[in-house]
Amino acid sequence: MKKITRILGLGLALLGVVSLSSCGEKNAIIEKEDITVNPTSNSIYVKKVENMPDDFILGMDASSVISLEEGGVKYYNFDGEEQDVFKTLAENGVNYIRVRIWNDPYDSLGHGYGGGNNDINKAIEIGKRATKYGMKLLVNFHYSDFWADPAKQMVPKAWANFESMNSYDITSKDSSPKSVALYEYTKDSLNKLKKEGIEIGMVQIGNETNAKMCGETNWINIQSLFRMGAKAVREVCPDALVALHFANPEKTSNYEDYAKKLKYYDVDYDVFASSYYPYWHGTLDNLANILSTIATKYNKKTMVMETSYAYTTEDTDFFGNTIGTSGYDNKDYPFTIQGQINNFRNIVDTIVNKTTNGIGVCYWEGTWISSGGATYEDNKELWEKYGSGWATSYAKEYDPNDAGLWYGGCAVDNQAFFDQTGHPLESLKMFGLLKKGNVIDLFADGVEDANVIHYTDEDFTLPETVNVIFCDNSKSPVQVTWEDFDIEAAKKAGNSKYKIKGLASGKEVYCNLTIMEYNYLQNYSFEDNNKSWEVNTYDGALDANSYKVQVTSENPQTGNNAFHFWASTADTVKFSIEQEITNLKTGTYKLQFSLLGGVASGTADASQQNIYCYVKINDNIVYKIDAKFTSYSDGYKDFLLRNIEYTQGDKIVIGVYVEANEVGSWGDIDDILFNYQNE
Ligand code: CA
């Protein structure tokens, strides 16, 4: 191997294809292949994005490709021929390749942690292939040995025993051992990439660094890491953009806070980048507003660094997917290749036309498909050997609470732009069609589920029509036939929920029916934000960096919203919400509420929780029902309190009190029901 490398190097030198880097070392030059970008399609609709600049970044994170290929996965072009997947991406309009880099994703015996085993060597191979086909590289340093995201920012093993950054005073922060190591590591890694002739367009310092990074949880330390990373980029790649990357744009006050702190600490960066997963991250208008606010106020470029959308609910690698058949009934688009197109296209349109200084959108892991085994066992062997699943069992030593428990395959294979056999989906052509658009006849792409709520004492029937969703995301009602369902029996059962299957336009559709007894509480399901509920937070339990308790669309049980609490992974949470009921008649009542929750990783310790729903009569808690949560995977649990006696004229207040003393506790409250008790 060594000999071949040397001869190749000599050959390149003889051909004269070398250049000088700023530090005088010879950089290789990668011979580029001519790429024609001109996809056409007669089966997908791509609405033209007006005003899209020629240099708008249409990125693809393709970090897992090498480990998949090592395990035997092959990729094909639209003619069915095996072809370098990077060439196929380029031919269809992708112009940036994003790659994550982990410092040392291996255990002491050299076993990879998985998730592509993305070290610098993988980045070099991916970068060379990207450059060969004319795409720039977006280097994504996690500054961790494995996944970094809002919940996890673990320090690399090699940096774990440095003297704490807290023991350095603010003025010399940049010389703390961790800051210096990060600077040297960034410089060294970028030099390695440059030396291979790789064209680096952008470098991000950290991944989804929501007030946490590289094991640090306070801003004084984090800003030092940001600044030292940026300094390295400026020195090695003066033409590259420096990006900082955050998640959860729906929490707008957090974004404002990050941007303000970056300014306060004078952190040098060009791009304020955000993840945007439509399932969790609020509306596109909200995204455009918060990014524009920051762009204008601080004179920064903005972009969407990650997004994805399911083209199917099917799993192809025997490892369950994040987005599947359960939940997410209120999705923005059908889970089809047209839905996948419309999600990305509308984000691009938002960033181009509604967002100040928007420069690009990058899709996350659109090449991460099944490892190709015929059974779970076959795939497991491949995941363990090549790291092509999200985590291997070897990741246990580094990440015992998450990877150590749940290691396995790919959870996003149904969001890729290639099918399980490596053939491109028609939706991949979208990248190349965005600028000019693709005109075809409207076709029905899916049918929208019906969500209805009725009271037990009202007469009702199931909806006669549901909406067909067309390829341009317009909607039109059509007749629906539901499976047999006994409405009277359901009404007798009292408060309850049903999922009824139906057929419309030849497609399967569901009616999500909620049956309720008359509820004396207003805004019981938080559909109207906090309205009608008084929120009390208690001193000391939520510091300035913590998430607030607030209504969000993250995990609704019914409707689109729930009352969410998350104290970040470094804090606890303590609050109550209350509502007074007026003009209630004397009688016997019952109270119910639903709770979902967990901790940032693993299972919550129920003994650390004091949670209850209560009835205050004349300002004293007279009735209460205790509740606990353990883990997100348990779903919502209902808690019911009966035989509440009330006398007309007394003051009555219904509330929920939450005290979760384990750091990283989070959860949702939904559907607080106060009904007359008939029986
Ligand atoms: Ca899967």
Side-chain angles (χ1 to χ4, degrees):
M1 278 304 278
K2 207 169 180 183
K3 194 177 171 191
I4 293 167
T5 310
R6 197 162 54 79
I7 290 169
L8 280 176
L10 183 63
L12 290 171
L14 287 172
L15 287 167
V17 283
V18 289
S19 70
L20 293 179
S21 74
S22 51
C23 44
E25 281 180 45
K26 284 175 184 174
N27 291 339
I29 285 186
I30 295 168
E31 203 172 326
K32 288 188 185 174
E33 210 171 285
D34 281 340
I35 295 291
T36 308
V37 184
N38 190 26
T40 56
S41 177
N42 54 18
S43 66
I44 55 165
Y45 174 64
V46 180
K47 188 178 178 188
K48 180 183 177 185
V49 176
E50 304 288 344
N51 312 313
M52 199 169 115
D54 286 332
D55 62 351
F56 191 80
I57 294 170
L58 295 170
M60 178 71 81
D61 191 308
S63 299
S64 301
V65 162
I66 309 297
S67 62
L68 285 164
E69 289 176 343
E70 285 171 353
V73 164
K74 293 178 176 22
Y75 291 93
Y76 299 86
N77 62 21
F78 278 105
D79 296 326
E81 299 155 346
E82 195 180 331
Q83 179 172 292
D84 190 330
V85 63
F86 291 94
K87 183 175 182 182
T88 308
L89 293 172
E91 284 175 338
N92 287 284
V94 172
N95 58 21
Y96 255 77
I97 296 294
R98 180 171 183 251
V99 66
R100 61 178 165 271
I101 300 182
W102 292 317
N103 291 39
D104 178 26
Y106 300 95
D107 72 7
S108 51
L109 297 172
H111 298 119
Y113 292 163
N117 294 342
N118 281 99
D119 58 9
I120 181 67
N121 294 323
K122 293 279 195 309
I124 288 171
E125 183 168 352
I126 288 171
K128 281 160 82 170
R129 286 162 69 179
T131 300
K132 180 177 176 187
Y133 301 111
M135 300 177 288
K136 286 189 177 169
L137 195 67
L138 199 170
V139 181
N140 170 16
F141 287 114
H142 281 222
Y143 300 117
S144 183
D145 288 339
F146 207 36
W147 298 105
D149 56 40
K152 275 196 280 195
Q153 293 282 344
M154 289 178 289
V155 63
K157 296 181 286 290
W159 302 353
N161 295 322
F162 286 154
E163 197 180 345
S164 165
M165 288 184 80
N166 297 337
S167 57
Y168 286 76
D169 73 39
I170 296 169
T171 50
S172 63
K173 275 290 167 193
D174 292 346
S175 62
S176 80
K178 195 187 274 182
S179 311
V180 173
L182 186 141
Y183 165 75
E184 295 292 348
Y185 171 78
T186 306
K187 241 175 108 159
D188 182 54
S189 302
L190 293 175
N191 271 322
K192 282 179 179 162
L193 292 164
K194 260 187 87 171
K195 205 169 164 217
E196 298 286 345
I198 293 163
E199 290 183 6
I200 299 168
M202 196 186 308
V203 182
Q204 60 175 97
I205 308 302
N207 188 72
E208 293 190 334
T209 45
N210 285 8
K212 267 175 101 182
M213 179 182 182
C214 197
E216 300 301 326
T217 53
N218 77 54
W219 264 92
I220 296 172
N221 296 343
I222 293 167
Q223 62 86 22
S224 166
L225 300 173
F226 280 152
R227 284 199 292 127
M228 290 298 269
K231 181 167 146 50
V233 180
R234 299 296 189 213
E235 287 173 16
V236 181
C237 305
D239 297 330
L241 294 170
V242 173
L244 301 178
H245 173 205
F246 305 95
N248 303 102
E250 78 283 9
K251 292 168 179 155
T252 50
S253 59
N254 287 348
Y255 270 32
E256 282 165 9
D257 183 51
Y258 303 155
K260 194 174 160 185
K261 288 192 165 85
L262 292 168
K263 172 70 182 171
Y264 176 82
Y265 289 113
D266 200 21
V267 173
D268 170 26
Y269 72 105
D270 305 304
V271 186
F272 189 101
S274 178
S275 291
Y276 180 75
Y277 292 98
Y279 326 107
W280 312 305
H281 289 164
T283 64
L284 281 171
D285 282 345
N286 177 69
L287 176 75
N289 287 341
I290 182 61
L291 291 181
S292 296
T293 300
I294 290 165
T296 306
K297 199 164 177 183
Y298 303 105
N299 191 26
K300 298 296 173 188
K301 295 175 168 48
T302 56
M303 72 177 286
V304 167
M305 194 56 99
E306 292 184 13
T307 186
S308 64
Y309 204 78
Y311 73 87
T312 174
T313 54
E314 301 294 316
D315 170 48
T316 62
D317 76 339
F318 313 101
F319 184 83
N321 293 332
T322 317
I323 305 301
T325 46
S326 62
Y328 308 110
D329 293 311
N330 298 296
K331 54 189 183 279
D332 294 338
Y333 316 98
F335 289 143
T336 58
I337 65 161
Q338 187 62 51
Q340 189 183 31
I341 290 167
N342 289 350
N343 173 60
F344 193 88
R345 184 264 163 210
N346 289 345
I347 295 173
V348 171
D349 187 46
T350 298
I351 295 296
V352 170
N353 290 307
K354 293 183 183 167
T355 310
T356 307
N357 300 343
I359 61 165
V361 181
C362 189
Y363 198 89
W364 192 68
E365 284 282 12
T367 50
W368 198 356
I369 58 175
S370 170
S371 298
T375 63
Y376 171 81
E377 282 70 26
D378 287 353
N379 271 349
K380 195 180 170 193
E381 211 176 305
L382 293 163
W383 300 330
E384 289 286 288
K385 190 166 177 190
Y386 300 104
S388 49
W390 88 270
T392 68
S393 62
Y394 308 112
K396 208 178 304 184
E397 60 155 43
Y398 187 68
D399 181 16
N401 297 328
D402 192 9
L405 297 172
W406 313 108
Y407 64 87
C410 175
V412 293
D413 46 297
N414 63 332
Q415 304 194 49
F417 278 96
F418 292 80
D419 69 15
Q420 67 208 86
T421 61
H423 291 81
L425 304 178
E426 196 72 6
S427 46
L428 182 63
K429 295 176 176 174
M430 176 237 348
F431 292 89
L433 289 167
L434 286 165
K435 205 172 158 55
K436 60 179 181 182
N438 191 35
V439 180
I440 61 165
D441 292 336
L442 273 191
F443 63 88
D445 184 48
V447 188
E448 195 171 52
D449 291 342
N451 295 303
V452 289
I453 298 173
H454 289 289
Y455 290 113
T456 48
D457 57 354
E458 79 179 294
D459 288 327
F460 68 90
T461 54
L462 296 178
E464 286 172 11
T465 61
V466 289
N467 283 329
V468 163
I469 306 168
F470 294 97
C471 57
D472 64 351
N473 222 38
S474 64
K475 292 167 189 180
S476 168
V478 288
Q479 292 289 317
V480 59
T481 313
W482 301 111
E483 282 185 348
D484 281 347
F485 182 76
D486 189 338
I487 288 175
E488 290 311 311
K491 280 163 68 173
K492 281 202 185 87
N495 290 328
S496 48
K497 297 176 186 71
Y498 302 90
K499 201 173 181 80
I500 305 152
K501 200 196 268 188
L503 204 63
S505 282
K507 291 182 198 297
E508 201 171 271
V509 62
Y510 288 91
C511 177
N512 299 304
L513 169 67
T514 302
I515 293 188
M516 293 177 47
E517 293 162 46
Y518 183 80
N519 189 3
Y520 294 90
L521 291 166
Q522 307 294 312
N523 194 25
Y524 74 97
S525 191
F526 305 99
E527 296 309 296
D528 201 5
N529 214 302
N530 280 350
K531 202 176 158 194
S532 314
W533 293 95
E534 191 185 324
V535 182
N536 310 300
T537 56
Y538 298 96
D539 288 348
L542 291 162
D543 71 27
N545 281 331
S546 298
Y547 290 95
K548 289 174 186 167
V549 289
Q550 61 188 0
V551 170
T552 75
S553 59
E554 283 170 69
N555 300 294
Q557 178 173 246
T558 54
N560 297 317
N561 293 328
F563 194 87
H564 186 69
F565 56 92
W566 183 25
S568 90
T569 44
D571 204 358
T572 61
V573 64
K574 187 165 145 185
F575 70 95
S576 67
I577 54 174
E578 288 191 341
Q579 180 177 146
E580 184 175 351
I581 301 175
T582 50
N583 300 321
L584 192 65
K585 289 192 168 59
T586 298
T588 307
Y589 294 85
K590 58 185 179 178
L591 172 66
Q592 180 177 317
F593 86 113
S594 303
L595 176 72
L596 167 85
V599 287
S601 55
T603 304
D605 179 356
S607 72
Q608 296 286 305
Q609 299 161 17
N610 183 19
I611 302 173
Y612 53 88
C613 192
Y614 57 87
V615 182
K616 262 189 197 168
I617 295 185
N618 297 330
D619 297 326
N620 295 313
I621 292 179
V622 179
Y623 300 95
K624 68 177 221 181
I625 174 168
D626 288 319
K628 304 279 184 199
F629 58 78
T630 46
S631 140
Y632 171 73
S633 56
D634 292 349
Y636 271 98
K637 282 191 270 190
D638 299 333
F639 299 90
L640 174 68
L641 178 64
R642 295 168 57 83
N643 304 319
I644 298 164
E645 300 296 341
Y646 174 76
T647 308
Q648 196 160 354
D650 286 349
K651 182 183 178 192
I652 178 166
V653 171
I654 306 299
V656 180
Y657 177 83
V658 174
E659 184 182 339
N661 292 316
E662 196 174 7
V663 293
S665 295
W666 68 271
D668 289 272
I669 296 162
D670 208 357
D671 300 335
I672 309 178
L673 310 174
F674 189 77
N675 314 117
Y676 187 72
Q677 187 173 308
N678 285 306
E679 71 280 19

